[in-house]
Amino acid sequence: MNTHKILPPAMLGILGGGQLGSMFTMAAKTMGYRVTVLDPDPNAPAARFADQHLCAKFDDPKALAELAKCAAVTTEFENVNAQAMRDLAQHTRVSPSGDCVAIAQNRILEKSWIRKAGLQTAPYQVIEKMADIGAESSQYLSGILKTATLGYDGKGQIRVNTLDELRQAFVSHGEVPCVLEKMVDLRGEISVVVCRLNADAIAAFDPAENFHENGILAYSVVPARLPESVQNQARSMAICLANELDYVGVLAVEMFVVGDAGDLIVNEIAPRPHNSGHHTIDACLASQFQQQVRLMCGFAPADTRLQQACCMANILGDVWGDDGGEPNWSAVLDNPQAHLHLYGKTQARVGRKMGHLTVLADTADVAYLLAKQSHSQLKP
């Protein structure tokens, strides 16, 4: 990879103009760079801040040719065309690599690479055809059948307890390649956001303790309320995986805390900034989006230290009134320790991420309590 440093006011490109692209664009603009966003949505949130919005499909040849003129290109989501990223890399700097994105897109490849790095996953079986379901599958029940690709926020996942249920779930998934993952004694979920330029320039944010509702992240508490030894192990595991992938950019590593001993196993990775890292905007010396800009431009990660305990809460379309009335924003804005971030999406829908709030406090427990209180008061 070409390692020369890219300086402002160079043009940076990003595939995707959603909320992650929007926050990336704001960070890049603040740092003096210009930004080109490729997204087919004419109302893409990032388009509000970008210098150029290529309103075209992600595989549009003309749009990709224009994006290739940027000094460097990144992505805001993993379901981008990995081959398009490989093709872009023939003309400009691309991070993360198309190969890393392809691994993160496929649970079969992903779990193989996690184990290649010497890390543990939940026990699993690859199921690519109906004939793969048999006596061997029983050892992974009760389990969750997950599609190998295109799963996020709990989508593409069906819990199964028997072989018959497994077969029915496989049919429901369209008999596409899947992973049957054995249920584990889950005690908690955490994530670590890693920032890597190379093996000598790598850093990790403090682990976030995550709480999900209906398969969607609801709250992230930082620092995670776990022993320091477990938090250090989580950082080490995430860094190990990033090095194994020879990853360049921001990588989120989601982990399960399992059993009485609180062992850590890797659940999945995301080749981009992560929902659980949004607190870094308000609570850290540098945000995950500033890190994304730095790394794609050839600079070592900035300091990842946490300045104060905090809790991030997602704001979904659910909190809008039944008649479309605006939420009670005063519930957040009246709190001097709270920060409101709205994504500029034009239509609120149940389950759609419309924004987030972050509350800073002296302890993680207090931050979590205050964030839950503010969030509960949002619905009009």
Side-chain angles (χ1 to χ4, degrees):
M1 178 177 177
N2 192 333
T3 57
H4 76 275
K5 292 179 171 62
I6 298 170
L7 300 172
M11 181 72 81
L12 306 180
I14 184 165
L15 287 153
Q19 63 263 24
L20 298 181
S22 182
M23 287 181 271
F24 163 84
T25 301
M26 285 189 280
K29 296 286 288 183
T30 300
M31 296 165 68
Y33 293 93
R34 294 173 295 139
V35 179
T36 294
V37 171
L38 171 56
D39 193 293
D41 181 1
N43 297 311
R48 298 173 297 160
F49 308 108
D51 295 270
Q52 182 180 19
H53 176 204
L54 301 173
C55 190
K57 294 181 179 180
F58 293 117
D59 58 356
D60 181 88
K62 289 184 178 179
L64 289 172
E66 187 66 24
L67 199 66
K69 297 176 183 177
C70 295
V73 174
T74 188
T75 181
E76 70 142 13
F77 66 112
E78 57 263 47
N79 288 328
V80 68
N81 188 310
Q83 188 55 49
M85 296 191 72
R86 295 186 184 103
D87 293 341
L88 283 167
Q90 302 300 311
H91 306 283
T92 187
R93 182 185 301 180
V94 174
S95 63
S97 70
D99 289 345
C100 284
V101 169
I103 290 167
Q105 287 177 343
N106 188 301
R107 284 193 171 97
I108 298 170
L109 292 174
E110 181 181 58
K111 290 182 181 297
S112 175
W113 273 91
I114 292 167
R115 292 194 170 184
K116 184 179 177 182
L119 306 176
Q120 294 298 310
T121 68
Y124 71 95
Q125 178 192 11
V126 175
I127 296 178
E128 297 181 299
K129 55 186 182 299
M130 189 64 75
D132 293 332
I133 299 174
E136 179 192 355
S137 306
S138 298
Q139 64 184 297
Y140 301 102
L141 298 174
S142 297
I144 305 176
L145 186 69
K146 302 179 178 181
T147 56
T149 60
L150 300 178
Y152 64 96
D153 286 346
K155 295 179 174 64
Q157 302 184 19
I158 301 175
R159 293 194 178 194
V160 293
N161 297 300
T162 66
L163 289 177
D164 282 343
E165 288 181 2
L166 175 57
R167 293 186 182 96
Q168 291 170 11
F170 188 55
V171 171
S172 296
H173 281 326
E175 299 191 30
V176 298
C178 292
V179 169
L180 173 60
E181 192 174 289
K182 184 177 177 63
M183 297 284 285
V184 295
D185 183 11
L186 184 64
R187 303 298 177 90
E189 299 182 45
I190 63 173
S191 55
V192 177
V193 175
V194 182
C195 314
R196 184 183 186 276
L197 181 65
N198 53 51
D200 297 319
I202 186 168
F205 286 104
D206 287 335
E209 181 182 358
N210 300 323
F211 299 90
H212 292 77
E213 295 176 0
N214 300 318
I216 301 174
L217 181 66
Y219 299 95
S220 289
V221 181
V222 189
R225 293 163 299 177
L226 294 169
E228 188 63 29
S229 60
V230 176
Q231 296 194 51
N232 288 337
Q233 181 188 1
R235 291 188 195 92
S236 296
M237 290 170 63
I239 287 172
C240 172
L241 184 53
N243 281 330
E244 182 66 36
L245 291 166
D246 195 20
Y247 192 88
V248 178
V250 174
L251 174 73
V253 183
E254 298 179 42
M255 304 179 195
F256 292 151
V257 183
V258 300
D260 293 335
D263 294 328
L264 295 178
I265 62 175
V266 179
N267 176 33
E268 60 186 21
I269 62 175
R272 51 169 172 77
H274 194 255
N275 197 171
S276 67
H278 289 348
H279 71 279
T280 61
I281 298 172
D282 302 305
C284 293
L285 287 170
S287 76
Q288 61 175 345
F289 302 100
Q290 291 170 310
Q291 304 281 24
Q292 186 180 19
V293 175
R294 291 179 63 87
L295 295 162
M296 71 186 294
C297 291
F299 292 93
D303 197 320
T304 56
R305 274 180 293 172
L306 182 72
Q307 296 294 87
Q308 194 171 6
C310 63
C311 178
M312 187 282 303
N314 269 327
I315 300 172
L316 305 182
D318 310 51
V319 302
W320 267 251
D322 295 335
D323 59 354
E326 284 291 317
N328 174 30
W329 300 126
S330 293
V332 183
L333 296 174
D334 280 339
N335 182 349
Q337 296 170 272
H339 301 264
L340 179 64
H341 298 263
L342 296 178
Y343 301 152
K345 296 181 179 179
T346 56
Q347 185 178 4
R349 296 193 301 269
V350 172
R352 190 183 195 195
K353 295 172 183 173
M354 302 296 292
H356 72 269
L357 64 92
T358 304
V359 176
L360 279 61
D362 291 333
T363 69
D365 286 335
V366 172
Y368 186 30
L369 176 63
L370 292 176
K372 291 177 72 175
Q373 287 178 347
S374 292
H375 189 273
S376 68
Q377 296 166 4
L378 282 175
K379 193 156 189 176

